[in-house]
Every structure is written in structure tokens, then in C-alpha cells.
Amino acid sequence: MSGGLLVAGTTSDAGKSVVTAGICRWLVRQGVKVAPFKAQNMSLNSFVTREGAEIGRAQAMQAQAARVEPSALMNPVLLKPGGDRSSQVVLMGRPVGEMSARGYHGGRQEALLSTVVDCLERLRGSYDAVICEGAGSPAEINLRRTDIVNMGIARAARFPVVVVGDIDRGGVFASFFGTTALLDAEDQSLIAGYLVNKFRGDVSLLEPGLEMLRGITGRRTYGVLPFAHGLGIDEEDGLRVSLRGTVRESVVAPPHGEDVLRVAVCAVPLMSNFTDVDALAAEPGVVVRFVDRAEELADADLVVVPGTRGTVKALAWLRERGLADALARRAAEGGPVLGICGGFQILGEHIEDEVESRAGHVDGLGLLPVRVRFDREKTLARPSGEALGAPVEGYEIHHGVADVRGGEAFISDDRGRSLDGCRAGAVWGTHWHGALESDEFRRRFLTEIARAAGRRFAPAPDTAFATLREEQLDRLGDLIEEHADTDALLRLIESGAPSGLPFIAPGAPGARA
């Protein structure tokens, strides 16, 4: 086998990422060597591969579902928004500059098609199957000419396409029909059929509609996936604490000790890698919520200032909303605060930024003895070390270079030499994303936080984040295995779209059957 499949969607957030991951997990359980692929991803949630390449976290999660090591080949183009009209372009894991949406779609995107096709072909040469994820909708007719992530890559690879629709939003039949009918004849020939996502209720009531849809489109539905809480792990965008919904089924697990621990995460603009707090949410008795008002910090035992693509913008936002003053008062009273990446930079004394915001010198909150200078070269790394006497691993994605001028070391090597961040009283800061996924370190850190907050909270001794993540990915594989026609999906992957699929009028504007 050397086949593949493109999972497209009627809309953004239809469920493409989780369906792709589910198919990957189902295939690998059948003994198929499979890899995920997304030609172009727009996301502030990213990850660093072992080779030091930056890719979307969704593709890293899908690689884990496929039980393979993630690589830049799986997400050759990553766009990281820096505002409403511009994004940093990351090509093959390395930033190559900032570009406006008009500039990107005006020529740069089309020029990248050969790069993404080459990456896909290299994956096809190493794996039995490649499961591709589309972006947004394939029927975005204003962008079709320069498309490299939906029908552009499907046509280049001759991959069949299954379109996912979120029935929980309503209008799924119209969305399936309209998506197909807005494509030209050649694109339509690759649309093999549909997959209904997030269905609640009795499937038998849906079946007449699916038959009618087949009658008017000539295309079948490959499965109806039931609504399941919290399957949006490592989302491209959106704001959710994924493991709270998935592992705990949206119910706060009872604390291991006598008290719960309340964590408030400042919902700063352009927030990146908010998945850092998933490991906290996975702990029994830890309640995580995102906040944007100063009064919401009052009952928090720990406040997290997360990463952001706009450090200076986030700092101004904190000041405008009174959160900066609330954080300062909290630190003065010994209340725990944790800054991660951009949040760490915000907690420092000052920032010199001629790269990201070009704002020059900006005063930080002054809660940590750190001075930050933004470098044009981005730091991308997968470091490991020790913190609080426990091993810790993480990944770094930042332009800011920290000059630590005091406090205590936070993360160090086995000789006690500081590797990253610092601590001053109950205020902590680090550039490392993902550090809280290290189980023993997380338990010791939460014990310290509970002590400083005066809470009789004790972390559970057996919470294993990696195990919870594996269970979550298995649930995705189970959804595909139990609710999709896997034999038919396998035939698509092996043999491509069925021949003779009818053309649905009107087709793309100006196109004919």
C-alpha cells in the first residue's frame, strides 16, 4: 500500500484534526505504517520536533496517534498570526518572515505547492499510508487558485477526499451539498463522500437524510460519529482545556487531599500554546479557568501568564484591564504566579523589542529580575533538565533572550547550572513549554504552590499525563472503528476515489462539467 486520504471539512472546527488523528490511530492498530500531513496550518499552538523544527501541535498530536516521531515533513507550512492581517511564515520548521494575508495569497502560497507536494511524496515513500488534513473548507472559491492544503494537494496527489461536517451546528446536509457543488468537475471527481461528526440521538432518524443526500450527490456517507466531550486535543485555535473534558468527562475529579487548587490563566491576546495547562487540568482536584478581569484573580491559588505571539501587546492588555496591578499586588502578598515563555518575559523588568512589535524599550511588570531582548533568530529547542529535584523536559519557541540577574534558578542541569528561568519568592518564570507534562516535577511544583497558597491540597501520586494522552488518542481510534465504515475507508486509501462520481451543478464559478 502507498495510498492516502484527505480529510476536508465543511467549515473550520468541523472536526478534521480529531478525525485525522482517529484514522491514524485506527490504522496503526491494524498494522499499517501511517503518517499525518497538513500542507499548511494556521495556528498559535505549535511544537518543536527533535530536529528543532516548528510544526503545528495538531500534527504533532496526530503523529503520536500514528505512533511515529513528528517531523517538519508533516506540516511544511505553518502560519502564526501576529494580528488580524499578518502572520509569521514558518517553512519546513523555520521562520522565513512576516507576510500579510494579501501578500501570501497573492503569490507566495501558490509558489509553495511544489514544496508541499515534495514533502508529501517523501512521506509516501516511507509510509504505507498518509492521512492529510485540510484547512477551513475546500469550497473557499476566492482562494481556490492558490490553494495548497485542500483540493490543490488532493488533485496533485490524486487523493480521495472525505468531507467532515459538524451536525451539532445544524445545516449539515446543505453544507455537504454546497461544498461539493461549488467545486469544479475535476475537484468533484475526488470528493468520495462524507462523514458526519458530533451527532446526538438515534442514528436511524438520520439515515433517510443520508440516503437522500446520496441520491442527489451520488456520494455515500462513510460514518456518523457520536458527540463526545473533549475530543479537541491540541486544537489549532479555540480556547479549551482539553483533558478536563476528555479524561474527566467535564466533571471535576475529587481532590486527593482535603482542598482543591484553583488555577487562573490570563487569556492574553494572541495566546500561544495554552495546552501548557492541560497537564494541570488533568490533576484530580485542580480547577483551571481562563480569565480576563482582575477580580477573577482574587480566589486563585495560582495565576498563569501563558505564552503569546505578541508579548508587548499582551503586556499592554494586562495593564489596560487592571490585571497587571492585580499581579503586582499578588506577588507582594506572596501569591504564586507562573509565567511561561511570553508570560515569563512579561514578568521581567524590561523588554527590548525591535523584532516582534518593534516597540523598542518597554517596561515589564518587574516581578522577576530578568531583562529580555528580542533576537531575530528564533530559539527552537527540545531541552531537558531538573527542577525541584525532579527530571523535566520541555520545548522552546521564542525570539526573546532572557538575561537573568538574580533570584533562584528554576530549571537546571545535573550540576546545578541554570538552564532556564528563575524564581523570586512565589513568582516563577520559564521559557519552556510542556514542562508541566513531566509528572514528578508537576507534583512537586503543585505541592509548593499549595504550601504558598495555604491550601491542604495534595497531588495524586499516580496521575501520568502521557498515559492519559494515550487513552485519549485510543478513544479517537475507537470512534472511527466503531462508527465509521472502516472497510470502505481502507478501500479509499488503497484505491482512490470511486470512478464515475457525478458532477453536481453549478460547480466552481465559471467552470463547466
Side-chain angles (χ1 to χ4, degrees), residues 138-139 144 151 154-155 158-163 176-194 216-219 497-509 511-513:
R144 176 61 187 91
M151 301 313 299
R155 190 185 288 194
R158 304 308 301 171
F159 274 2
V161 180
V162 172
V163 181
F176 284 145
F177 180 85
T179 297
T180 309
L182 280 174
L183 301 176
D184 67 23
E186 187 173 351
D187 284 349
Q188 284 194 25
S189 71
L190 297 174
I191 302 293
Y194 314 110
I216 61 176
T217 66
R219 291 160 173 86
S499 60
L501 293 169
F503 173 77
I504 309 301
R512 296 181 179 179

Side-chain angles (χ1 to χ4, degrees), residues 105-287:
H105 290 287
R108 179 62 183 269
Q109 185 181 37
E110 195 172 15
L112 292 173
L113 181 59
S114 61
T115 298
V116 301
V117 169
D118 176 67
C119 290
L120 178 56
E121 290 306 308
R122 289 170 64 184
L123 289 175
R124 294 181 74 179
S126 301
Y127 293 88
D128 300 329
V130 180
I131 308 302
C132 305
E133 179 189 345
S137 163
E140 291 168 350
I141 53 180
N142 56 315
L143 302 177
R144 176 61 187 91
R145 182 182 62 82
T146 57
D147 171 46
I148 64 172
V149 66
N150 289 304
M151 301 313 299
I153 196 69
R155 190 185 288 194
R158 304 308 301 171
F159 274 2
V161 180
V162 172
V163 181
V164 178
D166 178 359
I167 197 170
D168 197 51
R169 293 182 174 186
V172 75
F173 294 117
S175 297
F176 284 145
F177 180 85
T179 297
T180 309
L182 280 174
L183 301 176
D184 67 23
E186 187 173 351
D187 284 349
Q188 284 194 25
S189 71
L190 297 174
I191 302 293
Y194 314 110
L195 188 68
V196 176
N197 192 28
K198 301 183 185 177
F199 179 73
R200 306 173 191 252
D202 186 347
V203 176
S204 66
L205 298 177
L206 188 65
E207 288 171 351
L210 300 179
E211 284 303 311
M212 286 185 274
L213 181 67
R214 185 168 189 169
I216 61 176
T217 66
R219 291 160 173 86
R220 59 165 299 180
T221 297
Y222 286 86
V224 178
L225 307 184
F227 188 98
H229 289 287
L231 292 181
I233 56 176
D234 292 359
E235 300 250 357
E236 294 175 359
D237 297 296
L239 192 63
R240 73 174 68 188
V241 184
S242 58
L243 281 177
R244 168 61 63 210
T246 303
V247 179
R248 307 297 177 195
E249 294 298 339
S250 297
V251 176
V252 176
H256 183 70
E258 297 180 47
D259 286 346
V260 299
L261 204 65
R262 296 174 176 84
V263 179
V265 184
C266 297
V268 298
L270 298 173
M271 180 165 47
S272 61
N273 290 70
F274 54 82
T275 45
D276 281 331
V277 299
D278 280 0
L280 296 179
E283 284 284 351
V286 175
V287 182

Side-chain angles (χ1 to χ4, degrees), residues 42-112:
M42 177 173 281
S43 178
L44 288 173
N45 267 351
S46 58
F47 182 75
V48 178
T49 70
R50 294 201 180 279
E51 293 75 27
E54 185 179 8
I55 66 172
R57 273 198 69 100
Q59 280 59 67
M61 175 269 291
Q62 291 160 358
Q64 186 176 352
R67 295 179 179 146
V68 296
E69 190 67 31
S71 80
L73 294 175
M74 297 171 184
N75 180 206
V77 181
L78 174 63
L79 305 179
K80 303 193 71 175
D84 292 336
R85 297 189 179 185
S86 67
S87 295
Q88 183 181 70
V89 181
V90 179
L91 179 62
M92 295 303 295
R94 295 288 173 181
V96 294
E98 296 279 335
M99 188 168 289
S100 69
R102 180 177 292 276
Y104 184 69
H105 290 287
R108 179 62 183 269
Q109 185 181 37
E110 195 172 15
L112 292 173

Side-chain angles (χ1 to χ4, degrees), residues 163-478:
V163 181
V164 178
D166 178 359
I167 197 170
D168 197 51
R169 293 182 174 186
V172 75
F173 294 117
S175 297
F176 284 145
F177 180 85
T179 297
T180 309
L182 280 174
L183 301 176
D184 67 23
E186 187 173 351
D187 284 349
Q188 284 194 25
S189 71
L190 297 174
I191 302 293
Y194 314 110
L195 188 68
V196 176
N197 192 28
K198 301 183 185 177
F199 179 73
R200 306 173 191 252
D202 186 347
V203 176
S204 66
L205 298 177
L206 188 65
E207 288 171 351
L210 300 179
E211 284 303 311
M212 286 185 274
L213 181 67
R214 185 168 189 169
I216 61 176
T217 66
R219 291 160 173 86
R220 59 165 299 180
T221 297
Y222 286 86
V224 178
L225 307 184
F227 188 98
H229 289 287
L231 292 181
I233 56 176
D234 292 359
E235 300 250 357
E236 294 175 359
D237 297 296
L239 192 63
R240 73 174 68 188
V241 184
S242 58
L243 281 177
R244 168 61 63 210
T246 303
V247 179
R248 307 297 177 195
E249 294 298 339
S250 297
V251 176
V252 176
H256 183 70
E258 297 180 47
D259 286 346
V260 299
L261 204 65
R262 296 174 176 84
V263 179
V265 184
C266 297
V268 298
L270 298 173
M271 180 165 47
S272 61
N273 290 70
F274 54 82
T275 45
D276 281 331
V277 299
D278 280 0
L280 296 179
E283 284 284 351
V286 175
V287 182
V288 177
R289 67 185 190 274
F290 290 86
V291 304
D292 59 6
R293 296 182 300 178
E295 56 268 29
E296 294 178 291
L297 304 188
D299 66 344
D301 302 308
L302 169 65
V303 176
V304 178
V305 185
T308 171
R309 172 82 166 85
T311 300
V312 171
K313 177 184 283 190
L315 179 56
W317 180 88
L318 290 168
R319 287 186 166 125
E320 289 166 4
R321 289 179 168 262
L323 284 158
D325 289 340
L327 286 168
R329 288 193 300 271
R330 180 182 183 83
E333 295 167 359
V337 177
L338 171 65
I340 302 175
C341 199
F344 169 41
Q345 298 165 6
I346 285 169
L347 298 180
E349 295 171 350
H350 76 244
I351 298 166
E352 197 69 36
D353 180 12
E354 299 292 349
V355 176
E356 190 176 79
S357 68
R358 298 182 176 86
H361 177 91
V362 178
D363 288 333
L365 299 187
L367 305 184
L368 288 173
V370 176
R371 299 182 181 182
V372 176
R373 175 186 53 81
F374 273 67
D375 196 345
R376 296 194 179 279
E377 188 72 22
K378 182 186 280 190
T379 297
L380 297 169
R382 285 277 295 275
S384 61
E386 182 180 278
L388 300 178
V392 59
E393 295 181 351
Y395 57 99
E396 295 184 70
I397 307 169
H398 54 92
H399 284 279
V401 178
D403 178 12
V404 178
R405 300 191 169 198
E408 302 173 41
F410 188 4
I411 301 174
S412 58
D413 62 15
D414 56 6
R415 298 183 181 181
R417 295 175 297 191
S418 179
L419 293 178
D420 183 76
C422 69
R423 173 187 182 181
V427 181
W428 315 64
T430 177
H431 271 132
W432 290 20
H433 295 290
L436 292 166
E437 296 179 18
S438 298
D439 295 328
E440 185 56 35
F441 162 68
R442 182 180 65 254
R443 285 191 277 269
R444 296 188 184 192
F445 178 71
L446 289 176
T447 300
E448 286 267 342
I449 296 303
R451 184 182 300 115
R455 293 287 185 186
R456 290 174 295 181
F457 168 86
D462 56 353
T463 303
F465 185 81
T467 299
L468 295 177
R469 176 55 60 89
E470 276 298 302
E471 291 173 357
Q472 191 177 36
L473 294 172
D474 275 333
R475 286 188 64 205
L476 299 181
D478 292 344

